[in-house]
Amino acid sequence: MFNGIVSIRNKNGEEKVKIERPGGSLSPVWSICWNPSRDEHNDILAVADWGQRLSFFQLSGKQIGKDRVLNFDPCCVSYFSKGEYILMGGSDKQVSLYTKDGVRLGTVGDQNSWVWTCKVKPDSNYVAIGCQDGTISFYQLIFSTVHGLYKDRYAYRDSMTDVIVQHLITEQKVRIKCRELVKKIAIYKNRLAIQLPEKILIYELYSDDSSDMHYRVKEKIAKKFECNLLVVCSDHIILCQEKRLQCLSFNGVKEREWLMESLIRYIKVIGGPSGREGLLVGLKNGQILKIFVDNLFAIVLLKQSTAVRCLDMSASRNKLAVVDENDTCLVYDIHTKELLFQSAPMYQYLERKMFKEAYQIACLGVTDTDWKELAMEALEGLEFETAKKAFTRVRDLRYLELISSIEERKKRGESNNELFLADVYAYQGKFHEAAKLYRKSGHESLALDMYTDLRMFDYAKDFLGSGDPKDTKMLITKQADWAKNINEPKAAVEMYISAGEHMKAIEISGDHGWVDMLIDIARKLDKAEREPLSKCAYYFKRLDNHGYAAETYMKIGDLKALVHLHVETQRWEEAFALSEKHPEFKDDVYVPYAQWLAENDRFEEAQKAFHKAGRQSEAVKVLEQLTHNAVVESRFNDAAYYYWMLSMQCLDIAQENEQQKTEMLQKFHHFQHLAELYHVYHSIHRYTEEPFSFHLPETLFNISRFLLHSLTKETPLGISKVNTLFALAKQSKALGAYKLARHAYDKLQGLQIPARFQKSIELGSLTIRSKPFHDSEELVPLCYRCSTNNPLLNNLGNVCVNCRQPFVFSASSYEVLHLVEFYLEEGITDEEAVALIDLEAPRLNKREDKWQEMASDGAQTLRFDDNTDIIEEEDPFTAKLSFEQGGSEFVPVIVNRAVLRSMSRRDVLIKRWPKPLQWQYFRSLLPDASITMCPTCFQMFHSEDYELLVLQHNCCPYCRRRIDESNQ
């Protein structure tokens, strides 16, 4: 920070370490950098501040070493990618190279303004520099090898500032830390010379032991020297600067100097007495000289035409080996100046195709390059034995495998040398020469394969057979493969189509989302090619292109896949239309549609869909869950509707499954009963929970009475007896049924009453005591079979206490309707009964029939207009209403054919239940009241009530059949 503090924080910004440095705000920190090296034991942070210091810290905040004085304001610090060096620049207008310990090694580059940033390219020696004036510079750093060798001791530079001396036999090593840039190293016997930027250090061994590795400083020459080469002798150092050679004592005094004709390229100490050592000097002009350090005159040994790169003398001092600038090794006799050996003669044998002789020369000693040249020439000359030996020398397994392959082919009887040579040229990269030989030897297909493998398709076309379509297809396919691999997919698709490889073209187009190209391919394909067309359809689905997918499935006639497509894309209308034309796919459409509806909380529609699909068990499960939810959520009107639907589904199952018939019919009657209970309890619940009542007091009175009489055995989930008795008590008291009200209040005393009703019930229980102990006669229900007035509280339930005839209630007001159920005599079918009733045999009296029948939306309505007093004879049905008084069993009304024939169709309402249920017949006994029956749920209503409810809800209030639906 600018105040000189370094704060180390975690990734959440929480401070972990705070480093307070001396100088404070006078030394603002301008650049920091972590050492990226993984070899360091600790994380090291380099910190450069404008107090002109470089410091190093561990992660714990502990400083490593002392501050390094920079003498400039640093603006940037950057480590090399392995952490071995540091780059730093700033106000000194240059970028300098430092060791990882902060030792300055040198200048990378001088600039014209402050250096604000410098970065090293990862895993390389390239450096980018940015300056104040906007210039960007790019440098490459070359770290040359600085080393020296004498017999079994090898000295080399390490980390730019250290020197390591290694004993090549014992492999012992010793490190000499110089803490400055090591520029040159020379080693001779027990002497070691190290040139630093401002001095030369002379080291010597502690003892004469050949294995001793302990060096100590003998002398220091505190002078700056500029030299190209440095050698050390027992008492002198030799400096080379271009053409000049200088001999200095260890005190730095120049004793001798030699000036050469040409640039000095190499110096070698060849030994000699102490202080009188001999040197071999090689020049750029090819001259080789011998110099003694105590003699001013140089001795010319010989001169060659090429520049000297390296030289040495044999132990007997009779031969001189020279490596020239062409990497040719030449061996001379020192006395006769005769050239004894040269690596070049091998090539003379190669020119003459004398491969065995050339091999013999090579065995005397040549470079790897020479061995490879020999191997190649022998291979081209089909001299496989020599080539094999030469390639073995350079360990070239690739060519050895080729030679082995050719030898195997020769053993099998192949003898076409042109074909062998073509293979050799192909291996060498001489493809055109190889192709010519392939053609010449009658193997054009090999040339075609070669050019195809090389992706040189234009050349490959020249070797296609005489219009062979297989070869053409193969070539185009491979060209397409290549285009695909080099990321040219469109070109690859076009080539695959040309080659007839439609599957590959489709896969590439699909993977890249090219819908237009896919549909073009699909439309061009024949409908018999099902596999590629199916692949096209698969990609159309994946790319959300429903239209093209449907078109493709239609083309191949895969209707099942088309159905699944419509279902997967939730295009239900298309799916329904297809299932209508092909009923075998009904399950494939309606089952997933039902599941989709259920997942989207559209349970009623889901139930219908399951039912339509014939999945009755799933439909029942959905309905049961719906019903349970409706009850738990106090939606009793919905619960009634769902129970009615459940009952009808049970009836459907009983129709279809004979084994489950009995069980399903029991469930049908049970669910019908529950549906009616929840239907009436809906009104009770609204009355007790809502501030305003939607029903007349008489209706609530009838509903609560009906519900109380229906709850004789068990109370279904969600229905409250307290609410039912509370409503009954209040309405009974209001309408004058005081006896019934008192009974209701008494019953409430034995139940757990909610706090909100407590006060009202207690008050009602007290006030009802002041009322007469009887019920109003106007409220007493009448049995239309036996004309008996029934008590308001009936222990038998909703039946007549006298004749046991079940009452028929209006499904809206729950008044007792003037209907009596009758049964057919044994042997009379429903069809025959209806036919007999429809006959409407005339009565003997002259009564004018005032009945008017109206049928709308499938509902049956009876109206009666009575304008005159009519005297009619006794109705045969009335006679059937009689029963034996005093009996405890219910005696149903059973009619024969004669009675049926005497009935008027307008007097009869028929519940036409589907099989296996029997139809139910009801006779209206009061001509002055009109009754309407819903043709779906067969619930009875006063016609005026039904019409009003239909106007309000646009459907039947019980089964919710819409008035615009036809009777199914």
Side-chain angles (χ1 to χ4, degrees):
M1 290 186 280
F2 199 79
N3 58 5
I5 294 174
V6 177
S7 176
I8 300 176
R9 301 170 182 262
N10 62 14
K11 63 182 180 181
N12 297 323
E14 300 167 352
E15 185 173 81
K16 295 297 182 182
V17 178
K18 183 178 181 181
I19 304 173
E20 296 185 3
R21 306 169 65 254
S25 59
L26 298 177
S27 301
V29 176
W30 209 259
S31 185
I32 57 175
C33 188
W34 289 101
N35 187 336
S37 174
R38 296 185 178 180
D39 298 329
E40 299 290 340
H41 297 297
N42 300 304
D43 292 322
I44 298 175
L45 178 67
V47 179
D49 62 45
W50 276 14
Q52 300 190 347
R53 292 173 303 171
L54 175 64
S55 309
F56 299 93
F57 295 90
Q58 293 180 1
L59 182 60
S60 61
K62 181 181 178 181
Q63 185 169 355
I64 303 172
K66 297 181 180 180
D67 293 341
R68 298 279 184 176
V69 179
L70 300 175
N71 297 320
F72 67 93
D73 292 333
C75 297
C76 54
V77 173
S78 178
Y79 274 96
F80 269 64
S81 56
K82 294 182 180 178
E84 63 269 47
Y85 304 112
I86 297 175
L87 285 174
M88 201 173 333
S91 62
D92 59 346
K93 300 181 181 180
Q94 63 182 14
V95 173
S96 301
L97 185 68
Y98 293 79
T99 67
K100 62 182 180 180
D101 299 321
V103 177
R104 190 178 188 278
L105 298 176
T107 301
V108 174
D110 292 311
Q111 307 299 318
N112 296 323
S113 62
W114 283 29
V115 177
W116 281 100
T117 185
C118 56
K119 292 291 180 184
V120 181
K121 184 180 178 183
D123 299 321
S124 71
N125 294 333
Y126 291 95
V127 176
I129 299 170
C131 302
Q132 172 71 29
D133 59 5
T135 59
I136 297 175
S137 306
F138 196 59
Y139 292 88
Q140 181 183 11
L141 305 187
I142 299 174
F143 299 94
S144 59
T145 303
V146 177
H147 61 137
L149 173 68
Y150 182 79
K151 291 187 177 179
D152 54 10
R153 292 178 186 265
Y154 177 60
Y156 61 93
R157 180 174 69 181
D158 185 59
S159 300
M160 302 298 285
T161 59
D162 296 349
V163 174
I164 295 178
V165 183
Q166 180 178 357
H167 197 290
L168 299 178
I169 296 175
T170 64
E171 295 188 358
Q172 288 180 286
K173 290 182 181 181
V174 62
R175 179 182 292 271
I176 301 173
K177 291 183 174 292
C178 302
R179 293 182 175 81
E180 290 186 70
L181 175 64
V182 175
K183 300 181 72 173
K184 296 285 187 296
I185 300 173
I187 188 169
Y188 175 72
K189 290 185 178 179
N190 63 341
R191 298 283 189 266
L192 173 66
I194 302 173
Q195 183 187 8
L196 303 177
E198 302 293 335
K199 58 190 172 184
I200 295 178
L201 300 177
I202 313 296
Y203 290 84
E204 66 176 358
L205 287 171
Y206 272 85
S207 66
D208 294 332
D209 185 359
S210 61
S211 62
D212 183 25
M213 295 294 289
H214 295 85
Y215 285 88
R216 63 185 174 188
V217 178
K218 177 176 176 61
E219 299 288 347
K220 290 183 183 179
I221 304 175
K223 289 183 182 179
K224 182 177 181 181
F225 296 98
E226 294 293 336
C227 63
N228 303 116
L229 299 170
L230 171 70
V231 295
V232 63
C233 301
S234 299
D235 300 322
H236 301 87
I237 60 170
I238 311 298
L239 302 178
C240 168
Q241 181 63 30
E242 296 183 347
K243 297 180 181 181
R244 192 179 304 277
L245 207 61
Q246 292 180 342
C247 176
L248 281 70
S249 68
F250 287 165
N251 296 323
V253 178
K254 183 171 72 173
E255 294 185 357
R256 287 172 192 80
E257 183 175 283
W258 298 270
L259 187 63
M260 306 301 168
E261 297 177 4
S262 179
L263 294 176
I264 300 169
R265 297 291 298 274
Y266 191 78
I267 307 173
K268 173 79 174 180
V269 181
I270 57 174
S274 178
R276 298 174 59 193
E277 291 86 358
L279 306 175
L280 285 179
V281 180
L283 306 183
K284 187 176 182 181
N285 63 1
Q287 199 173 47
I288 300 170
L289 303 99
K290 185 176 182 181
I291 295 174
F292 293 97
V293 295
D294 62 341
N295 194 326
L296 280 172
F297 299 100
I299 302 169
V300 178
L301 295 180
L302 58 88
K303 184 176 181 181
Q304 62 180 28
S305 59
T306 54
V308 177
R309 178 174 292 177
C310 184
L311 52 81
D312 202 356
M313 186 178 286
S314 66
S316 62
R317 299 182 182 273
N318 292 323
K319 294 177 183 177
L320 183 68
V322 181
V323 177
D324 66 8
E325 61 184 355
N326 298 320
D327 293 330
T328 303
C329 180
L330 304 103
V331 180
Y332 296 95
D333 186 302
I334 292 179
H335 302 296
T336 64
K337 310 297 190 288
E338 180 186 356
L339 178 64
L340 301 176
F341 168 75
Q342 179 184 359
S343 60
M346 181 191 75
Y347 291 94
Q348 298 173 5
Y349 287 114
L350 291 179
E351 289 173 3
R352 300 173 190 174
K353 307 296 182 184
M354 300 170 68
F355 301 114
K356 292 183 179 179
E357 290 79 0
Y359 176 74
Q360 292 174 355
I361 295 296
C363 288
L364 297 175
V366 293
T367 63
D368 283 352
T369 305
D370 295 333
W371 276 114
K372 196 161 189 177
E373 186 66 26
L374 169 61
M376 287 296 184
E377 290 289 340
L379 188 60
E380 290 183 18
L382 303 179
E383 181 60 50
F384 298 118
E385 188 64 31
T386 303
K388 188 174 182 179
K389 293 177 182 178
F391 279 124
T392 303
R393 288 274 187 166
V394 294
R395 295 180 176 83
D396 194 326
L397 296 177
R398 183 167 165 266
Y399 279 102
L400 287 172
E401 288 175 357
L402 172 63
I403 294 170
S404 177
S405 172
I406 292 174
E407 288 176 341
E408 288 292 326
R409 288 158 60 188
K410 290 181 78 173
K411 287 178 183 178
R412 291 197 299 267
E414 289 190 36
S415 58
N416 192 333
N417 287 336
E418 288 182 343
L419 185 57
F420 296 149
L421 187 57
D423 291 342
V424 171
Y425 282 153
Y427 263 69
Q428 291 176 337
K430 301 175 181 178
F431 304 118
H432 298 308
E433 291 86 343
K436 290 176 183 176
L437 286 174
Y438 281 134
R439 172 172 278 173
K440 189 176 179 180
S441 62
H443 292 80
E444 291 187 348
S445 61
L446 295 176
L448 177 63
D449 292 341
M450 177 186 71
Y451 279 129
T452 302
D453 292 340
L454 293 168
R455 311 294 185 257
M456 301 168 74
F457 299 106
D458 292 335
Y459 292 112
K461 291 175 184 175
D462 297 336
F463 292 88
L464 285 172
S466 55
D468 188 348
K470 289 185 178 178
D471 289 342
T472 305
K473 180 179 178 180
M474 181 273 295
L475 180 62
I476 296 174
T477 302
K478 288 193 174 183
Q479 190 172 1
D481 291 339
W482 173 70
K484 177 183 174 183
N485 292 335
I486 63 169
N487 205 19
E488 289 287 344
K490 285 203 172 179
V493 169
E494 293 170 359
M495 294 175 193
Y496 279 133
I497 294 173
S498 301
E501 294 282 349
H502 295 111
M503 285 296 289
K504 292 183 178 179
I506 290 166
E507 287 173 1
I508 296 174
S509 302
D511 291 339
H512 287 82
W514 296 333
V515 175
D516 293 340
M517 194 168 284
L518 275 174
I519 193 60
D520 287 343
I521 296 171
R523 286 170 178 168
K524 289 175 184 176
L525 287 170
D526 188 83
K527 63 182 179 180
E529 299 183 73
R530 294 180 65 87
E531 187 180 0
L533 284 169
S534 298
K535 197 71 173 178
C536 286
Y538 162 76
Y539 279 113
F540 286 137
K541 283 202 299 183
R542 204 174 81 173
L543 297 169
D544 295 328
N545 198 306
H546 172 270
Y548 286 160
E551 178 185 335
T552 308
Y553 281 132
M554 286 295 290
K555 183 171 183 176
I556 59 179
D558 193 344
L559 295 180
K560 188 166 186 177
L562 183 58
V563 167
H564 290 164
L565 171 68
H566 291 324
V567 169
E568 288 172 16
T569 55
Q570 297 174 4
R571 295 176 181 266
W572 303 113
E573 294 301 324
E574 291 93 329
F576 296 150
L578 197 58
S579 68
E580 288 295 326
K581 294 179 183 177
H582 303 277
E584 64 269 21
F585 301 124
K586 192 175 181 181
D587 279 5
D588 295 324
V589 173
Y590 282 99
V591 171
Y593 176 59
Q595 292 168 345
W596 176 77
L597 289 170
E599 288 169 2
N600 289 275
D601 296 334
R602 295 164 63 180
F603 294 103
E604 292 182 32
E605 296 171 74
Q607 185 273 333
K608 292 177 182 176
F610 274 127
H611 186 66
K612 198 163 187 178
R615 298 292 186 91
Q616 303 291 2
S617 58
E618 284 93 337
V620 169
K621 284 180 184 176
V622 172
L623 263 182
E624 286 176 344
Q625 187 62 48
L626 276 173
T627 308
H628 178 76
N629 293 346
V631 171
V632 170
E633 296 167 11
S634 299
R635 294 182 291 107
F636 299 107
N637 205 25
D638 291 337
Y641 171 61
Y642 297 146
Y643 269 125
W644 175 80
M645 290 182 70
L646 265 175
S647 69
M648 299 309 292
Q649 289 205 354
C650 290
L651 189 57
D652 288 342
I653 297 172
Q655 249 181 316
E656 297 169 2
N657 193 328
E658 188 66 29
Q659 295 177 346
Q660 294 182 288
K661 177 179 174 181
T662 304
E663 179 190 354
M664 288 297 112
L665 286 179
Q666 289 176 353
K667 285 190 174 184
F668 166 77
H669 293 297
H670 176 62
F671 290 148
Q672 283 272 321
H673 176 64
L674 289 177
E676 195 161 25
L677 292 184
Y678 282 114
H679 177 69
V680 296
Y681 184 70
H682 171 69
S683 301
I684 300 292
H685 178 74
R686 290 186 69 183
Y687 171 72
T688 56
E689 297 295 327
E690 297 179 7
F692 302 102
S693 174
F694 293 88
H695 296 285
L696 294 172
E698 292 83 356
T699 301
L700 283 172
F701 174 74
N702 292 332
I703 286 173
S704 53
R705 270 189 68 250
F706 172 84
L707 187 57
L708 187 64
H709 288 148
S710 300
L711 296 177
T712 54
K713 294 181 180 179
E714 60 178 355
T715 304
L717 176 68
I719 294 181
S720 169
K721 270 193 173 182
V722 172
N723 289 354
T724 305
L725 289 168
F726 178 71
L728 179 61
K730 298 253 315 185
Q731 301 307 320
S732 298
K733 183 179 176 183
L735 295 173
Y738 303 122
K739 182 179 177 182
L740 181 59
R742 182 176 293 189
H743 172 78
Y745 278 123
D746 289 344
K747 285 285 186 182
L748 283 169
Q749 298 302 322
L751 299 175
Q752 186 176 355
I753 301 171
R756 58 196 179 96
F757 292 154
Q758 190 76 40
K759 188 175 180 180
S760 177
I761 291 173
E762 289 176 354
L763 182 61
S765 298
L766 288 174
T767 55
I768 197 64
R769 305 289 178 185
S770 64
K771 302 296 182 182
F773 190 68
H774 63 80
D775 297 324
S776 172
E777 293 183 359
E778 295 178 359
L779 301 173
V780 173
L782 173 69
C783 174
Y784 287 94
R785 178 177 179 180
C786 62
S787 301
T788 303
N789 287 326
N790 280 257
L792 291 177
L793 184 63
N794 189 342
N795 293 328
L796 297 178
N798 292 313
V799 297
C800 176
V801 293
N802 182 30
C803 65
R804 306 295 195 272
Q805 179 74 29
F807 293 126
V808 180
F809 294 92
S810 166
S812 57
S813 64
Y814 279 85
E815 294 176 356
V816 177
L817 295 175
H818 48 87
L819 295 174
V820 174
E821 183 178 3
F822 63 90
Y823 297 85
L824 304 178
E825 194 176 61
E826 188 175 351
I828 303 175
T829 63
D830 291 326
E831 291 76 11
E832 183 185 358
V834 172
L836 290 170
I837 294 170
D838 287 341
L839 288 176
E840 296 195 33
R843 299 283 177 88
L844 296 177
N845 65 330
K846 297 180 180 180
R847 173 190 173 191
E848 183 182 354
D849 198 349
K850 301 299 182 179
W851 285 100
Q852 293 182 3
E853 180 183 18
M854 290 185 292
S856 61
D857 301 319
Q860 303 174 34
T861 305
L862 297 176
R863 287 188 180 278
F864 185 80
D865 293 331
D866 187 12
N867 297 322
T868 59
D869 294 332
I870 298 171
I871 301 174
E872 55 181 305
E873 65 181 11
E874 185 179 352
D875 185 354
F877 180 75
T878 307
K880 293 289 183 180
L881 297 179
S882 62
F883 62 95
E884 186 178 348
Q885 297 288 336
S888 61
E889 297 295 327
F890 168 59
V891 179
V893 179
I894 300 176
V895 298
N896 56 23
R897 290 180 175 85
V899 176
L900 289 171
R901 198 178 293 114
S902 69
M903 290 184 186
S904 170
R905 179 68 185 85
R906 291 161 296 194
D907 296 343
V908 180
L909 292 173
I910 306 173
K911 292 186 178 182
R912 301 171 186 258
W913 293 108
K915 296 293 183 182
L917 293 178
Q918 296 292 324
W919 288 7
Q920 288 180 277
Y921 298 84
F922 297 87
R923 169 72 186 271
S924 173
L925 298 178
L926 287 182
D928 58 347
S930 176
I931 298 172
T932 299
M933 181 181 71
C934 173
T936 302
C937 60
F938 304 123
Q939 289 292 327
M940 311 287 192
F941 301 86
H942 287 297
S943 295
E944 292 179 355
D945 293 344
Y946 184 75
E947 290 169 1
L948 178 61
L949 290 167
V950 165
L951 287 174
Q952 288 175 347
H953 305 290
N954 199 31
C955 63
C956 170
Y958 193 87
C959 66
R960 301 184 183 180
R961 181 189 70 88
R962 299 186 67 81
I963 60 170
D964 53 355
E965 289 183 8
S966 61
N967 186 19
Q968 298 295 326

